[in-house]
Amino acid sequence: MKNIFSLLLFAGLGTVASAQVLTNQPVNPTITNSNVLLDGSTNFSNDVGAQPYVGKGVIIPSVDLVNFQFDLTLADGATFPTMFDGMIVYNNATGTTLTAGNRSSTATAVTPGYYYFFNPNGYNNQTVQPGVWRPLGGDPRVNVATTETRTNTAINNAQVYAIKGTFTASGTSTAVNIPSPTGMTGMYSITIYKSGTNTVYDRSLYSYTLGTGAGNAITGSPSMSVVYPNGTYDYVLEYLK
């Protein structure tokens, strides 16, 4: 990050401390009130054979997001008042982000690619928590695993989480017991299916009661006449905390 910040600082000093810099023409200090911070585009001809390699791009600093943490030395409410909300990096690591220290309080699985720091309340809270690293564009899918997974859904600003698991039915009872994830306060939805087959059990056939302890998250209502055939089933539970 230092290189790009140094470039912006140098250009700014050379233009009487203007907030915006135009570099595709002679340095122009007269765009102070423009929405554009830095214009590094190049004027060039589209004619065949004219000025090869004149196209230019911006190389975003490469970081290891698994181990990255913020330096809050200058995050004093003036220099970086939004607590890095919207900061973009190129992540070069594969793994799960750490949560100790000056980091997001959410552990996020990351792979090489572009990420931005989502911290919309950073200005008001003056902290990098609970901001979270999110992929910039790319595949919007969330891979639900057997550990708690943060989804792309929120309800009344409450985050929806998901978890995958299995349960075994006796074939003689309507009761279905699924373990309660830690901190679960309400259920959003549940899908029950058989992995490797085309069988998905219609959720509308069952009613569920939220339990209060581990091993008692979901109980199929005894009033329902439908009984799961004997066997092992997969489920994806989506819930609030």
Side-chain angles (χ1 to χ4, degrees):
M1 276 297 179
K2 290 183 178 178
N3 290 339
I4 193 168
F5 288 149
S6 297
L7 171 62
L8 295 177
L9 177 61
F10 175 78
L13 291 176
T15 57
V16 197
S18 296
Q20 289 83 9
V21 180
L22 186 68
T23 62
N24 62 355
Q25 298 286 346
V27 175
N28 186 342
T30 64
I31 61 170
T32 305
N33 295 322
S34 169
N35 295 115
V36 178
L37 170 67
L38 175 65
D39 184 351
S41 58
T42 303
N43 291 331
F44 63 95
S45 171
N46 288 320
D47 293 340
V48 176
Q51 299 184 21
Y53 312 117
V54 295
K56 289 180 173 60
V58 175
I59 296 179
I60 300 296
S62 179
V63 302
D64 174 355
L65 276 188
V66 172
N67 296 294
F68 175 87
Q69 70 171 317
F70 291 98
D71 180 353
L72 301 184
T73 304
L74 296 179
D76 53 9
T79 308
F80 298 113
T82 64
M83 285 292 173
F84 309 102
D85 181 40
M87 174 176 165
I88 299 173
V89 301
Y90 179 81
N91 169 56
N92 58 30
T94 298
T96 302
T97 59
L98 300 175
T99 57
N102 298 323
R103 299 180 171 97
S104 166
S105 56
T106 300
T108 302
V110 295
T111 56
Y114 291 100
Y115 286 78
Y116 71 98
F117 190 61
F118 180 72
N119 190 25
N121 295 317
Y123 179 81
N124 294 324
N125 299 337
Q126 284 301 288
T127 177
V128 295
Q129 297 180 347
V132 62
W133 287 104
R134 292 183 174 180
L136 186 66
D139 193 340
R141 293 176 299 178
V142 173
N143 183 44
V144 179
T146 54
T147 56
E148 182 174 271
T149 304
R150 185 185 179 100
T151 72
N152 289 331
T153 302
I155 301 174
N156 290 331
N157 294 318
Q159 177 63 47
V160 175
Y161 298 87
I163 195 167
K164 179 183 179 300
T166 61
F167 69 88
T168 301
S170 65
T172 60
S173 172
T174 58
V176 176
N177 295 312
I178 294 176
S180 175
T182 302
M184 175 178 171
T185 58
M187 185 176 68
Y188 175 57
S189 71
I190 184 170
T191 301
I192 298 174
Y193 63 102
K194 270 188 172 292
S195 181
T197 72
N198 292 324
T199 304
V200 176
Y201 290 83
D202 190 337
R203 287 172 289 180
S204 66
L205 294 177
Y206 297 86
S207 61
Y208 298 92
T209 302
L210 177 64
T212 57
N216 191 32
I218 311 299
T219 301
S221 171
S223 66
M224 303 305 294
S225 60
V226 178
V227 175
Y228 284 107
N230 181 49
T232 300
Y233 298 81
D234 300 273
Y235 69 84
V236 172
L237 172 66
E238 294 178 278
Y239 56 96
L240 302 169
K241 297 177 67 175

